[in-house]
Amino acid sequence: MNLLLLGRGKTGSLVAEVAAERKHEIRIAGAKENVSCAALTTERLRDIDCVIDFTAPHCVLANIEACVTAGKSMVVGTTGWYSEIDRIRALVEQHDTGFVYSPNFSVGVHLFFDVACAAAAALRHDYSGQIFERHHVHKKDAPSGTAIAIQKVIRDASRRGSNQYDDLEITSFREGDVVGMHEVVLESPADRIYLCHDAKSRRGFAEGAVRAAEWLAGKKGFYDFKDVWREL
Ligand SMILES: NC(=O)c1ccc[n+]([C@@H]2O[C@H](COP(=O)([O-])OP(=O)(O)OC[C@H]3O[C@@H](n4cnc5c(N)ncnc54)[C@H](OP(=O)(O)O)[C@@H]3O)[C@@H](O)[C@H]2O)c1
């Protein structure tokens, strides 16, 4: 495929690596080349099959609007624009393009959500639970979006069996250069169950994003990666 990557930061640079390994043609535009969406004119996008965005909240909406309006498919990993999600969905439908987004493109993390969902049954059998998350010291938000998503997965699974339910407490740690570790601990008077996802690098995000672009080829519509990753 001919891919245009927006952003050559921590995640974007890995997307470029993975795309090259998977034999795609990749062009990259960072902040300098894309001032006021200069890299996203109809002319510049002419031979591009899909645009992958790992930039920043301040520019992602303008990038999305430029690409979708030009009729281009997109994979968007950048976060911070979801308050506009309904408007963007309508724009994608209006221009009949393809779009996959997610705050987390790691297939391993989505597998972990399924495992946590299955483990939620423990809460109906005298277990109590806690969530722990560890990230590098530079991470600005706490708790992490992934920890909140795990909490929601367990809440939704538990409520199916009962209407009495308190959310699992999340404890956040910020230490060293930890990429991202999430643990669910379920404890009963008789035993303890540990579930752990430990990201070794950002590569999982990059692989998921490139594979989502491959999946999107020839498709139209607005998709959340959580509904797509099983088909990769
Ligand atoms: N969905 C997921 O799985 C996932 C995973 C990780 C991160 N993220 C999200 O992805 C985004 C990027 O994360 P990151 O850790 O890679 O951040 P980062 O290292 O700060 O990289 C962001 C890059 O965006 C580029 N940029 C800024 N404005 C731009 C513009 N107008 N056009 C093109 N490029 C522009 C800059 O490129 P230059 O260096 O060229 O100036 C910068 O290096 C964040 O929103 C983060 O939350 C999502």
Side-chain angles (χ1 to χ4, degrees):
M1 295 173 75
N2 278 328
L3 301 175
L4 172 63
L5 169 65
L6 300 177
R8 55 166 75 81
K10 292 185 284 296
T11 319
S13 47
L14 286 171
V15 171
E17 244 179 70
V18 170
E21 282 166 21
R22 295 176 73 89
K23 311 286 180 222
H24 298 298
E25 290 295 323
I26 182 122
R27 201 185 300 159
I28 310 175
K32 275 199 200 108
E33 301 95 322
N34 194 35
V35 176
S36 306
C37 297
L40 306 176
T41 60
T42 310
E43 176 60 30
R44 297 251 172 126
L45 290 174
R46 193 176 304 282
D47 60 348
I48 297 295
D49 299 313
C50 187
V51 181
I52 302 181
D53 189 308
F54 277 93
T55 59
H58 72 83
C59 61
V60 62
L61 274 171
N63 293 341
I64 292 173
E65 285 160 9
C67 295
V68 173
T69 306
K72 291 296 159 180
S73 288
M74 282 194 98
V75 169
V76 177
T78 309
T79 50
W81 58 274
Y82 300 139
S83 60
E84 298 286 319
I85 199 158
D86 290 339
R87 184 170 68 78
I88 296 302
R89 183 187 291 111
L91 194 71
V92 168
E93 284 163 6
Q94 183 192 339
H95 290 275
D96 204 21
T97 61
F99 193 100
V100 183
Y101 74 95
S102 179
N104 198 314
F105 272 101
S106 159
V107 165
V109 164
H110 286 273
L111 275 165
F112 190 71
F113 289 158
D114 277 7
V115 172
C117 180
L123 300 172
R124 295 196 291 276
H125 295 275
D126 209 15
Y127 284 80
S128 60
Q130 275 182 284
I131 298 169
F132 299 97
E133 58 103 346
R134 292 167 201 278
H135 284 88
H136 53 88
V137 290
H138 305 293
K139 186 169 175 66
K140 293 189 189 94
D141 55 321
S144 69
T146 303
I148 293 169
I150 293 168
Q151 188 186 48
K152 181 178 183 315
V153 160
I154 294 176
R155 178 196 311 141
D156 291 350
S158 301
R159 281 204 177 136
R160 272 177 234 139
S162 142
N163 44 19
Q164 269 200 326
Y165 176 72
D166 290 327
D167 266 337
L168 265 53
E169 186 190 352
I170 303 175
T171 307
S172 302
F173 299 93
R174 296 290 170 261
E175 51 197 27
D177 53 3
V178 181
V179 177
M181 183 190 275
H182 292 87
E183 292 166 283
V184 177
V185 180
L186 297 158
E187 175 136 7
S188 80
D191 57 8
R192 202 175 282 132
I193 301 170
Y194 295 99
L195 309 175
C196 178
H197 179 273
D198 186 8
K200 294 199 234 170
S201 75
R202 290 184 171 75
R203 210 184 142 91
F205 304 131
E207 280 178 0
V210 173
R211 292 174 66 197
E214 294 166 1
W215 177 89
L216 196 56
K219 293 192 182 68
K220 313 276 185 204
F222 189 83
Y223 304 93
D224 184 331
F225 186 68
K226 74 177 165 55
D227 302 318
V228 164
W229 67 272
R230 287 181 183 80
E231 295 178 28
L232 298 182

